[in-house]
Amino acid sequence: MEKLINNLRTGQQELAKWEGGKMAVSAVPGAGKSHSLAVAAAITINKNNLNNNRQLLIVTYTRSATASIKNSIKKILEELNLPPIGFTVQTIHGLAVNIANRHPLLSQLHLEISTLIDATPSHRIIRTTVTEWAKNHEEYYHLLLKGKNTETEESERLRRDSVLLTEVLPNFAHNVIRQIKSSGLTEYDLDTLQDDPTNPYPLMAIARGLYHEYQELMQKENLIDYDDLILGALRVLENDNARKIWQEEIFGVFEDEAQDSSPLQGKLLEILATDSDNSEVNFIRVGDPNQAINSTFTASDPLYFKLFCDQCQEIGQFFAMNQAGRSSKIIIDTANTTLKWINQQIREKFEDKSFNKLDSILPFREQEINIVDREDKQLDANPQAEGKGVEIYEPENIYQTVELISKRIIQLFNNQKAKETYNLAILVRENRQGSFLYKHLEFLKNNYNIKIQLINDINNYAHIPRQILSILQFIDCPHSREYLKNALETLQNKILIEAQDLNALSIYPEKFLYPSAIEPPQSKQTKKARNYCLKLLKSRLELPHYRLIPFISSLLEYQASELATAQKLSDKIHKQIIGNSSLKTMISTLQEIINSEKFEGVETDNQNIYTEKGQVTIMTMHKAKGLQWDYVFLPFLHENVIPGSADPYVPKSAKFLGNYNLPDITRTILRSLTHQKNSGHKNSPLTSISLASHESHQLKQGEEYRLLYVAMTRAKKLLWMSSAKKAPWRWNYFEDNGNVFQLQDSKPCSVIMMLKSVQK
C-alpha cells in the first residue's frame, strides 16, 4: 500500500490517505483521477476490512466509466493479494433502481409493472402533455398564440400553432419538468414563485400547468422517468428502518464526475454516506467544475459541487489534483492562458457593481494545470510536442480549412510506424460540421490508407424506431400536417435536406407535395424536400409493406449498426403481426415498441473505436469528454458559435413570441429558485423575464467556453486550431455545393485572436 501511495502525485496521495469524513477533490483534465480513485478505493477496502456485508460504494454517471473503474479496483486488489470484494460500482440510476426494488412499498415505484421512459421533447408523453395542456388552458395558449401581434392571417395562425405545439412547448415542458423533478421542487415551491406582473407571459403558471398534466399522464399510463427513480430512492431513505439498513451496508461513498450531479443526486449519496451510529458522513466527491459541459441542457448543476468544495475547504478537506501528464507543456500553458483570459474578460464586462452575480457566471474556477514532477511514474508524461505543439490558422474559407487539415494529417501519418503509434481527432461543435469534414476527407482512406471514422452524437439507437415511425406515418397519411412535419424533421436531422421553415411547408400538405400552376415557384431547398417526400409516397405504391423499413433505412443512409438495428426492428415487427400483416398493423406495433421503451439496438462498436491508432476520428466536442488523442484538430472556431452571438438566439420561427427563448428563460428562473432553496442564498429568486434571459445567456456562453477548454485539453502532442474568414452563417442552413459565394464573413472566436497575439 505504501508503494501504491508513493507512486501517486500530490493531490492523488491525499485522496489515497483518506481516513473518513467529507472530502472534495478538484481534478484538472488529465490528472488521472480515475486511477487515483481506484487506488483510494482499494486502500480503503483493505484498511477497513470491507466485505460483501459492508461495502464501499463508488458512483459514476456512465456505464462505460462504471466498468472501467470496477476493473481498475479489481486489478489493484489483485496486486495486494486481496479478493475482489468489499466494493460496488454503480451508476446513479442503477443505484436508485436497487434501492427502489428492495423497498417497492416505500419507494412507491413498482418497476416490474411500470415502464421507464426517457421523456425527450419528441417523446409521445411530452407531446401529449402539451396537447392536453393547450386544451385545458386555452387562455394561456391563446396568449402565446397571439404573441406580440394581435392581427394574423389564417396561414400565419396555423404556422404559429404548429410552432407552439411541435417546437416551443415540447422544449418548454421538457426543460421545466426535468428542472422541477431533479431539483426536488414541490408544487408548494412552484406556487410560492409568482410571475412578475411586468412579464409578457405567465411562465410559472404555464410551468405549473404542464408539470401537473405530465404527472397525471405518467400516473395514468403507469410510466416513470429517470428522476422518478431518484425520488423513489429518497422516499425509501426517509423511512428510519430502511435508511439504517442501507447505511449499515455502506461504509462510505466515492462520487466520480461530481460536477455533473444534480441536487437530488447529491442528497441521495450524502444520506447513504452517513454512518447510522455516529452521523459521520464518509463522502468523497471528485470532479472538475471547469469541465461542466452539460448543465445548460441537462439537470446537472456544477454550483453544488463548487459549494461542496467550499465547505470542505473550511474544514481543511479540500484538495486540488492539479498535476497532469497527458499533454505537452505548451498545450497545458495554452489551456491555462485561455482559462485566465476568459475569466478576466467576464470580470471586465461586468465590473459594474450593480451586477451582483459575478461569481455565479464566471465560467471557470481559478485552477491551473501543472506539469508532473520529473520523477513521476507515468510513462511519457507531458510528451514532447509535435512541431510547434499549438498551431493556429485563419484560412480564407471552410474549404481551405479542409485542405489545411488534410495536408497536416498526411504529414502526421506519413509512414506505417506513425499509423501504428498515434491517433488523431477532429472535434467539432455541431454534427453537420462533422458530416461536412467526413465527406471531404474520405479520400484519405483510398489514397493514403488513413482510416476516417465519423462518430455521431447519438450513442444509442432509440432514435431509429422513432425516425422510421415518422416516415411510415407520413407514407400512410400524407395529408396530415403533423406527420408531414415529422417526416421532414427526420430528413433534416439526417442532413438529407437543408434546414428551412418546416412549419410553412407543412401547413398545407397538398400545396407542398403537388403545387398547382398558380402557386409561387418553390425554392431549390423546398423542391429537394418535396422530391424526398414523393420518393417515399412512391415506395408505398411500388413496394410491399414488409419491404418499407429496409427501403426507409437505405433512404435515410443508415450505417453499420444502424442498419443492423433497423433490420432487427423489422424482424421483430413482422413476427408480432403474422396473420394480420399490413401497413396499419406495422405502424401500430412500432408505436407499441416505442411506448414500451424496451427495444435495444445492435451495438457493434466499443470504446476503442474512438481512439484507434492510425485513425482520424471526427466527433463533437461534447462526446470527446473523458477521451484523449495524440493530435487534436479544432476547426470552425467562430465567435457566433463559441461563445455564441451577443444576444440570446431565438429561432426565426418563434420570433412572434418576442426576442425570448422561453424554455431557457423558465429553466433559469426555476434554477434560481432551487439555488435559493438548497444553497442558503438570501437573494430572492429571479422572476423577471428580461433578467432571466440575460443570466441564461451568460450561463450558456460560459458553458461554451468550458466546452472549448475540454476540447483543447484532449490533445497530447499537437493542438491544431482554426477559424475560417468565410463560413456558413448557420450550418443548419448550409448547402455543401462548393460555392464559396454563399459563405459569409465570420469573426473568429475571441480565444483564437488572443492566442495568436500571445504567439507573436
Side-chain angles (χ1 to χ4, degrees):
M1 286 200 300
E2 286 180 13
K3 184 179 178 182
L4 277 173
I5 293 174
N6 291 335
N7 284 342
L8 296 175
R9 302 171 189 143
T10 305
Q12 294 178 332
Q13 288 186 351
E14 281 77 5
L15 180 60
K17 292 176 181 177
W18 174 74
E19 296 287 344
K22 288 185 179 182
M23 177 186 283
V25 180
S26 185
V28 299
K33 65 180 176 61
S34 296
H35 170 69
S36 50
L37 197 68
V39 171
I43 291 174
T44 299
I45 292 164
N46 187 33
K47 274 185 181 179
N48 297 280
N49 297 316
L50 301 184
N51 51 58
N52 288 336
N53 296 320
R54 188 154 173 80
Q55 297 184 319
L56 179 68
L57 170 64
I58 299 99
V59 175
T60 188
Y61 290 87
T62 64
R63 282 182 290 180
S64 58
T66 299
S68 175
I69 292 173
K70 187 181 294 183
N71 290 334
S72 296
I73 295 173
K74 284 183 177 179
K75 185 178 179 182
I76 296 167
L77 289 173
E78 186 179 332
E79 291 173 7
L80 295 171
N81 294 318
L82 294 171
I85 60 172
F87 73 98
T88 177
V89 187
Q90 299 184 42
T91 64
I92 186 68
H93 291 111
L95 171 65
V97 167
N98 290 339
I99 296 172
N101 264 336
R102 201 193 294 188
H103 310 272
L105 294 178
L106 293 175
S107 70
Q108 299 171 30
L109 299 178
H110 301 281
L111 300 179
E112 70 282 356
I113 59 172
S114 299
T115 301
L116 178 65
I117 66 167
D118 182 11
T120 61
S122 60
H123 196 283
R124 175 189 61 83
I125 199 72
I126 292 289
R127 296 296 178 100
T128 307
T129 295
V130 166
T131 304
E132 289 299 309
W133 175 85
K135 189 191 305 179
N136 297 329
H137 298 80
E138 290 187 2
E139 180 185 351
Y140 292 150
Y141 183 71
H142 285 123
L143 184 64
L144 293 173
L145 196 63
K146 183 175 71 173
K148 294 190 303 180
N149 305 318
T150 54
E151 297 181 8
T152 54
E153 296 179 356
E154 177 65 11
S155 60
E156 171 61 12
R157 193 194 67 77
L158 290 172
R159 189 193 71 81
R160 291 184 182 188
D161 187 60
S162 175
V163 170
L164 285 173
L165 294 178
T166 62
E167 294 176 21
V168 174
L169 286 173
N171 283 319
F172 189 103
H174 174 253
N175 274 2
V176 301
I177 290 165
R178 288 195 70 183
Q179 187 64 41
I180 291 168
K181 298 187 80 169
S182 68
S183 304
L185 295 176
T186 64
E187 294 202 16
Y188 173 78
D189 293 324
L190 298 179
D191 289 337
T192 61
L193 190 60
Q194 299 300 318
D195 284 291
D196 189 320
T198 63
N199 289 343
Y201 306 108
L203 298 183
M204 289 303 100
I206 295 171
R208 283 193 293 270
L210 285 166
Y211 177 70
H212 181 72
E213 294 287 352
Y214 175 82
Q215 290 292 85
E216 279 200 345
L217 277 170
M218 294 286 282
Q219 189 173 5
K220 181 181 176 182
E221 299 192 25
N222 209 15
L223 303 175
I224 56 174
D225 58 31
Y226 286 93
D227 288 316
D228 286 323
L229 296 177
I230 306 296
L231 290 165
L234 283 168
R235 282 193 291 271
V236 170
L237 298 178
E238 287 173 359
N239 179 275
D240 292 341
N241 291 332
R243 183 173 63 253
K244 187 173 182 180
I245 290 170
W246 280 93
Q247 289 175 340
E248 287 178 348
E249 290 181 6
I250 294 174
F251 169 78
V253 177
F254 289 3
E255 181 188 16
D256 192 19
E257 302 292 356
Q259 77 279 352
D260 292 330
S261 184
S262 73
L264 280 192
Q265 290 167 1
K267 181 181 178 181
L268 173 65
L269 296 181
E270 186 154 344
I271 292 172
L272 292 172
T274 303
D275 191 301
S276 61
D277 294 328
N278 56 25
S279 298
E280 183 179 22
V281 181
N282 294 322
F283 192 16
I284 292 181
R285 305 185 79 178
V286 182
D288 182 8
N290 294 340
Q291 296 186 72
I293 58 174
N294 302 318
S295 60
T296 59
F297 61 90
T298 71
S300 67
D301 192 334
L303 173 73
Y304 297 101
F305 179 58
K306 289 180 182 177
L307 291 172
F308 187 82
C309 289
D310 293 340
Q311 291 170 12
C312 291
Q313 198 159 19
E314 290 177 4
I315 60 174
Q317 285 294 93
F318 169 79
F319 300 98
M321 204 181 285
N322 55 16
Q323 286 185 312
R326 173 189 294 162
S327 307
S328 61
K329 185 177 184 301
I330 188 170
I331 294 174
I332 287 176
D333 290 342
T334 301
N336 287 336
T337 299
T338 300
L339 183 153
K340 289 179 183 176
W341 183 82
I342 290 171
N343 266 5
Q344 184 57 34
Q345 296 301 302
I346 302 297
R347 285 194 185 95
E348 291 176 2
K349 184 176 180 182
F350 296 107
E351 60 185 355
D352 181 359
K353 294 180 182 178
S354 65
F355 190 82
N356 61 0
K357 288 195 173 184
L358 182 59
D359 289 341
S360 68
I361 64 166
L362 278 179
F364 298 102
R365 184 185 182 98
E366 295 285 356
Q367 180 171 275
E368 278 200 350
I369 310 172
N370 298 320
I371 61 173
V372 303
D373 301 328
R374 288 186 178 180
E375 62 273 15
D376 194 85
K377 302 297 182 181
Q378 180 178 338
L379 296 176
D380 198 26
N382 303 126
Q384 183 178 350
E386 170 67 35
K388 294 180 180 179
V390 176
E391 300 177 6
I392 301 174
Y393 298 91
E394 284 190 275
E396 290 300 318
N397 54 58
I398 57 173
Y399 294 103
Q400 192 179 71
T401 302
V402 175
E403 290 179 27
L404 291 174
I405 290 174
S406 61
K407 287 178 181 177
R408 194 69 176 102
I409 291 173
I410 293 167
Q411 289 174 357
L412 293 169
F413 289 150
N414 60 0
N415 57 56
Q416 190 59 33
K417 184 179 178 182
K419 292 175 184 175
E420 293 172 356
T421 308
Y422 304 116
N423 55 18
L424 184 152
I426 306 175
L427 306 181
V428 294
R429 181 61 187 84
E430 302 174 30
N431 279 314
R432 287 177 181 264
Q433 295 172 339
S435 300
F436 169 79
L437 287 167
Y438 181 75
K439 173 184 173 182
H440 290 277
L441 293 175
E442 266 192 304
F443 76 95
L444 293 174
K445 183 176 181 180
N446 295 328
N447 296 1
Y448 297 92
N449 195 30
I450 298 172
K451 185 179 179 182
I452 308 291
Q453 180 71 49
L454 176 66
I455 306 292
N456 194 287
D457 243 3
I458 302 172
N459 56 7
N460 60 55
Y461 299 98
H463 65 289
I464 291 177
R466 292 191 177 95
Q467 287 179 345
I468 290 175
L469 177 64
S470 71
I471 300 296
L472 287 175
Q473 286 177 325
F474 165 69
I475 290 174
D476 182 53
C477 190
H479 57 272
S480 164
R481 286 188 293 159
E482 179 186 355
Y483 293 162
L484 172 57
K485 184 182 177 184
N486 291 344
L488 290 170
E489 280 181 343
T490 294
L491 294 170
Q492 186 172 283
N493 290 335
K494 292 298 294 180
I495 320 180
L496 297 173
I497 63 174
E498 290 73 29
Q500 50 200 300
D501 188 353
L502 303 184
N503 297 291
L505 300 187
S506 58
I507 289 174
Y508 300 112
E510 294 83 359
K511 289 184 180 179
F512 165 65
L513 294 169
Y514 303 104
S516 65
I518 63 172
E519 297 294 332
Q522 292 180 335
S523 67
K524 185 178 178 182
Q525 292 87 347
T526 300
K527 285 181 180 177
K528 186 175 182 181
R530 174 174 171 263
N531 287 337
Y532 267 104
C533 290
L534 293 179
K535 280 183 188 177
L536 291 169
L537 295 180
K538 191 177 179 183
S539 70
R540 168 79 184 273
L541 301 174
E542 296 183 349
L543 294 173
H545 63 271
Y546 53 83
R547 294 288 185 191
L548 287 176
I549 291 180
F551 170 76
I552 293 168
S553 305
S554 174
L555 184 132
L556 295 180
E557 298 182 0
Y558 284 157
Q559 303 294 318
S561 299
E562 291 178 312
L563 284 172
T565 298
Q567 185 59 52
K568 176 183 174 182
L569 179 67
S570 180
D571 292 344
K572 181 179 177 69
I573 290 171
H574 291 302
K575 282 180 182 177
Q576 290 185 217
I577 62 175
I578 290 175
N580 186 26
S581 184
S582 68
L583 180 56
K584 294 284 187 188
T585 55
M586 273 178 61
I587 291 172
S588 176
T589 304
L590 180 52
Q591 186 71 70
E592 288 176 10
I593 290 171
I594 292 170
N595 291 345
S596 72
E597 300 277 331
K598 291 177 181 176
F599 179 76
E600 294 184 1
V602 180
E603 298 278 359
T604 61
D605 300 334
N606 54 50
Q607 285 287 1
N608 294 332
I609 194 174
Y610 304 137
T611 56
E612 189 176 320
K613 298 298 182 185
Q615 174 176 287
V616 175
T617 304
I618 303 172
M619 65 197 305
T620 62
M621 295 176 178
H622 275 104
K623 201 163 181 63
K625 173 85 175 292
L627 301 173
Q628 59 184 19
W629 294 268
D630 295 292
Y631 316 125
V632 170
F633 287 59
L634 306 179
F636 314 134
L637 298 177
H638 297 107
E639 186 181 63
N640 67 330
V641 177
I642 297 177
S645 58
D647 299 314
Y649 172 69
V650 179
K652 188 177 179 181
S653 61
K655 286 283 187 182
F656 66 91
L657 293 166
N659 291 321
Y660 302 119
N661 188 318
L662 296 185
D664 286 351
I665 289 172
T666 310
R667 191 163 176 270
T668 301
I669 293 173
L670 290 170
R671 181 168 285 195
S672 172
L673 174 63
T674 310
H675 289 174
Q676 185 208 33
K677 181 182 177 182
N678 295 342
S679 314
H681 285 184
K682 294 181 181 179
N683 296 332
S684 297
L686 280 172
T687 55
S688 164
I689 282 185
S690 58
L691 288 177
S693 177
H694 174 78
E695 183 164 326
S696 171
H697 185 54
Q698 294 304 320
L699 290 171
K700 188 163 282 190
Q701 287 198 328
E703 189 150 298
E704 292 296 333
Y705 279 132
R706 290 195 295 274
L707 184 61
L708 176 61
Y709 175 79
V710 167
M712 292 169 68
T713 54
R714 302 306 95 194
K716 293 159 71 175
K717 299 168 71 69
L718 173 65
L719 175 61
W720 189 103
M721 306 170 75
S722 77
S723 173
K725 294 177 181 176
K726 288 186 178 293
W729 175 70
R730 292 235 176 249
W731 281 85
N732 281 346
Y733 295 89
F734 171 60
E735 184 178 1
D736 180 20
N737 55 14
N739 179 12
V740 296
F741 295 105
Q742 67 172 313
L743 305 177
Q744 298 185 8
D745 292 337
S746 298
K747 283 186 178 182
C749 170
S750 55
V751 172
I752 288 279
M753 302 308 294
M754 180 274 294
L755 292 177
K756 283 198 73 172
S757 66
V758 169
Q759 280 190 343
K760 290 179 181 178

